[in-house]
Amino acid sequence: NSISDDLSQDLAPYPNPTNGIIKIKHNSKISILDLYGRPVNFELRRDNPGTTLNISNLANGVYLLQFHKDGESFSYRIIKH
């Protein structure tokens, strides 16, 4: 199983669209980028199982949530409103 297979099956961030709190069921390295490819700041809390992301400090808009593991990456588009 590659990370792409695992993520596409297990890792849809929810809720999406979000008002600021996103939950995911994976503990890989995570980054969030704006649509210009610039990293943005967010709060991350590792839960068992999974992770909670707080992006309530970000402006409303579309962001890319990226997961990185073993040299592979996978992206989801998230909408903050």
Side-chain angles (χ1 to χ4, degrees):
N1 257 5
S2 71
I3 189 171
S4 298
D5 293 339
D6 291 341
L7 290 175
S8 63
Q9 293 174 10
D10 296 338
L11 183 65
Y14 63 94
N16 189 17
T18 180
N19 60 4
I21 302 297
I22 300 169
K23 295 191 178 280
I24 56 173
K25 298 176 184 176
H26 205 273
N27 284 319
S28 61
K29 182 179 175 191
I30 298 167
S31 58
I32 299 179
L33 308 174
D34 65 16
L35 290 181
Y36 297 104
R38 298 177 297 213
V40 297
N41 290 325
F42 63 97
E43 180 184 329
L44 180 137
R45 188 179 77 228
R46 300 283 186 195
D47 300 321
N48 191 12
T51 301
T52 301
L53 308 174
N54 184 344
I55 61 167
S56 58
N57 63 313
L58 300 179
N60 291 348
V62 178
Y63 296 89
L64 297 176
L65 178 59
Q66 291 189 326
F67 304 92
H68 312 274
K69 186 175 180 179
D70 301 329
E72 291 188 82
S73 65
F74 192 83
S75 298
Y76 273 98
R77 183 175 292 174
I78 54 174
I79 300 169
K80 173 160 185 291
H81 62 89

